[in-house]
Amino acid sequence: MGVYFYGCITLDGYLADKSHNLDWLYQTGTTEETGYENFYQGMDITLMGKRTFSEIEKLGDAGEIYPTTQNYVFTHSRQLPLKGFTPVDGSVVEFVKQLGREKNIWVVGGNTVLSPLLDHDMVDCMVIQIAPVLLGDGIPLFSQKEVVRRFVLEEVKKYGQFAELVYRRKLS
């Protein structure tokens, strides 16, 4: 059990363009071309920020995207327009600590959720897919504090146009 990041970035390390747009990703491929289904089946909880949630809202049948997980959105809003998503206000680190370590927690997207967890050495595994796209500028995946964190490369896969790298936290 642990905390996982699973997501796709551009070759130059961006999650989204400067406007938080993901068109570059949608134009590159689909989840059917990846190991997404197997990954998702192993998750109990999803965590995301408001911007990631806003992207999910744009998709058709958005309420059915994460049907078997408990889904939490870090936002100042008290309510969310989609059924199955619970708003959370406060520290992502404290929230994850209170969830305990017996669940598999997926950080769906957003460096504002991922960075504090990396800062507190709470990310156990990162599954990073890389799309053959260069944006030149945008929202980076990594924006944590300047501290060396070591991970071990466990696996490399190719799914259509995507390269997938699986990293585990290196235990001292």
Side-chain angles (χ1 to χ4, degrees), residues 23-167:
D23 285 349
W24 65 268
L25 175 59
Y26 304 138
Q27 295 164 359
T28 305
T30 65
T31 59
E32 288 81 27
E33 298 176 43
T34 66
Y36 170 79
E37 288 299 326
N38 286 336
F39 175 83
Y40 180 72
Q41 288 175 7
M43 294 297 112
D44 301 300
I45 295 170
T46 68
L47 303 179
M48 66 192 76
K50 180 67 166 116
R51 287 191 177 118
T52 299
F53 176 77
S54 294
E55 279 298 314
I56 289 169
E57 278 185 290
K58 295 177 188 176
L59 304 174
D61 287 333
E64 297 299 315
I65 293 201
Y66 306 120
T68 62
T69 48
Q70 296 174 335
N71 307 299
Y72 297 98
V73 179
F74 285 85
T75 178
H76 297 296
S77 300
R78 293 187 183 266
Q79 289 186 317
L80 296 170
L82 289 179
K83 193 174 175 181
F85 291 85
T86 305
V88 177
D89 190 11
S91 163
V92 66
V93 170
E94 293 307 314
F95 185 76
V96 169
K97 283 180 183 176
Q98 64 99 24
L99 290 174
R101 299 298 276 178
E102 57 280 345
K103 303 260 185 193
N104 281 328
I105 301 166
W106 173 21
V107 178
V108 174
N111 59 21
T112 57
V113 176
L114 181 62
S115 292
L117 296 172
L118 285 169
D119 287 340
H120 287 85
D121 204 23
M122 295 173 72
V123 178
D124 300 296
C125 181
M126 291 190 289
V127 180
I128 301 172
Q129 294 166 350
I130 302 171
V133 176
L134 294 170
L135 290 178
D137 198 5
I139 310 303
L141 171 58
F142 298 111
S143 61
Q144 73 283 350
K145 293 177 184 171
E146 187 175 337
V147 168
V148 174
R149 299 273 185 234
R150 300 248 181 232
F151 289 81
V152 176
L153 178 64
E154 281 193 346
E155 209 171 342
V156 177
K157 295 178 184 173
K158 181 180 184 277
Y159 293 111
Q161 290 298 303
F162 299 100
E164 182 177 271
L165 307 173
V166 179
Y167 293 98

